[in-house]
Amino acid sequence: GGTWETPGACNDKWPSGYPWKTRECETSAADDGSEVIRCWRCMQPRYVLDTRFFFAFFFFLWVNALIVAVSDAIIAGSVGIWFVSEKKGFHPGRVAKSAWNVYRYHMGSLCLG
């Protein structure tokens, strides 16, 4: 086991894990021939900041920006179609046409920012 000065099996590297006691104890032989009962296991750290976290965080920000950009482009297209049309007022076909234009012609530019 470890103490505050010397690391043990669970806290020998950063980030350190936590020990926990299991109900199924293992029995093994020691160097002097006696029997050693091991009931403690090491748990992974609760929060691990590795490359997976940074990839997921970057992906979250990218998808969030893409959703905002697509919604802004659809609204801008709908307003543009409304502005040049003869009939003023709401018409769902204008929003659908704007969404078609965004997904058909502008999605790559919106994905790249």
Side-chain angles (χ1 to χ4, degrees), residues 80-89 94:
I81 294 170
W82 168 82
F83 186 75
V84 298
S85 69
E86 302 252 336
K87 295 180 187 176
K88 303 296 182 190
R94 294 178 185 148

Side-chain angles (χ1 to χ4, degrees), residues 11-108:
N11 61 356
D12 59 345
K13 59 183 182 267
W14 187 90
S16 61
Y18 302 97
W20 60 281
K21 190 172 184 178
T22 181
R23 292 182 184 173
E24 295 87 23
C25 299
E26 291 180 359
T27 311
S28 62
D31 294 336
D32 60 357
S34 63
E35 193 173 59
V36 177
I37 300 173
R38 294 190 171 111
C39 297
W40 292 92
R41 304 285 186 265
C42 292
M43 181 176 74
Q44 291 287 333
R46 287 187 174 198
Y47 305 105
V48 179
L49 297 177
D50 58 353
T51 56
R52 291 176 296 178
F53 169 77
F54 293 110
F55 177 76
F57 185 67
F58 173 75
F59 187 72
F60 166 74
L61 292 177
W62 187 19
V63 169
N64 187 20
L66 178 64
I67 290 170
V68 169
V70 167
S71 63
D72 287 348
I74 290 174
I75 292 170
S78 298
V79 170
I81 294 170
W82 168 82
F83 186 75
V84 298
S85 69
E86 302 252 336
K87 295 180 187 176
K88 303 296 182 190
F90 178 75
H91 189 271
R94 294 178 185 148
V95 178
K97 177 69 174 168
S98 176
W100 167 257
N101 286 337
V102 166
Y103 288 119
R104 176 73 172 112
Y105 300 110
H106 303 291
M107 195 59 161

